[in-house]
Amino acid sequence: GCGTLGMFHFNTDVVVSPHGRTPAVATGAKRAAPGKLVFSYQGDGDLAAIGMAEIMHAANRGENFTVIFINNSTYGMTGGQMAPTTLVGQKATTAPLGRNPAETGYPMKMCEILSQLEAPKYIARFALDCPANILKAKKGIRKAFGMQMAGKGFTFVELLSNCPTNWGMPALECMDWMRENTMKVFPLGVFRDGDE
Ligand SMILES: Cc1ncc(C[n+]2csc(CCOP(=O)(O)OP(=O)(O)O)c2C)c(N)n1
């Protein structure tokens, strides 16, 4: 879904768009109401698979909204299928022996890919594995929202997350697994800061 859309035919804060198409919907919302804070909230299946075209082109146009990209390296809601971000060797219902790059390629790193474009103004990756990192993520989101409200352009915040159900482990173990696996493939950091 995307942020405040109270200027259309009905008064609402949230719009659920078709899977993957959120950057297109957010583009329309922000262009129609440039004073509103608009953000999309997208999973890795959503953003890096079905919505790959929408995210690339919204970023390339420098649309002035914020993307919150929740990367838990799985299609959670539909039951744990392989996502573009699934790690090599990570098990999924559609990769029961673990992701094999010879068949399905390698994890796609969206911050790094989007950093090849000129227009984006802020691109950063954080992890939600411990309070210190959650506070950093919060700062990054605040920064992205601030840049958007200052009219700077496209801002993208990736948050490494987890999925106890589909990873098949308790929540606390997920935090360790993230640190030992996910964060090695998806390094944390600010890839672009248009304020600097
Ligand atoms: C056009 C379309 N295709 C497929 C689906 C089915 N679908 C719903 S959620 C989902 C996967 C979501 O995975 P992700 O975006 O990674 O988010 P998560 O559930 O892990 O948070 C899919 C394929 C859909 N809702 N709409």
Side-chain angles (χ1 to χ4, degrees):
C2 66
T4 315
L5 280 173
M7 62 296 177
F8 293 138
H9 304 291
F10 39 82
N11 199 15
T12 181
D13 287 334
V14 176
V15 168
V16 177
S17 79
H19 201 52
R21 312 283 92 100
T22 315
V25 174
T27 294
K30 187 69 179 186
R31 287 191 181 196
K36 302 280 188 186
L37 175 77
V38 174
F39 65 92
S40 69
Y41 181 92
Q42 304 181 252
D44 46 300
D46 177 283
L47 182 141
I50 192 168
M52 183 58 116
E54 280 76 8
I55 191 60
M56 291 304 294
H57 289 283
N60 193 46
R61 294 191 304 269
E63 297 292 346
N64 187 29
F65 66 87
T66 302
V67 174
I68 308 293
F69 173 43
I70 311 295
N71 178 1
N72 63 358
S73 65
T74 183
Y75 278 71
M77 190 184 181
T78 40
Q81 294 83 6
M82 199 198 84
T85 47
T86 298
L87 306 191
V88 170
Q90 184 184 344
K91 287 187 178 150
T93 53
T94 48
L97 301 178
R99 183 177 189 166
N100 173 1
E103 286 174 354
T104 51
Y106 294 86
M108 298 183 84
K109 301 173 186 177
M110 292 309 300
C111 283
E112 287 84 341
I113 291 170
L114 292 170
S115 291
Q116 303 305 308
L117 302 174
E118 280 181 41
K121 286 294 185 292
Y122 183 74
I123 301 173
R125 179 183 291 130
F126 303 96
L128 306 178
D129 65 309
C130 64
N133 278 342
I134 289 169
L135 288 176
K136 282 187 198 162
K138 191 175 166 185
K139 267 182 143 178
I141 292 169
R142 188 176 288 276
K143 165 114 184 166
F145 283 172
M147 289 178 76
Q148 177 192 155
M149 293 319 278
K152 298 230 162 146
F154 185 82
T155 47
F156 184 90
V157 178
E158 176 173 349
L159 303 174
L160 297 181
S161 184
N162 67 90
C163 183
T165 307
N166 291 303
W167 288 8
M169 60 185 89
L172 269 182
E173 265 176 52
C174 284
M175 304 303 146
D176 287 334
W177 200 89
M178 279 170 72
R179 288 188 279 266
E180 281 157 27
N181 300 282
T182 323
M183 285 156 72
K184 289 184 179 152
V185 176
F186 296 102
L188 307 186
V190 177
F191 293 79
R192 169 96 40 96
D193 186 348
D195 264 354
E196 280 172 2

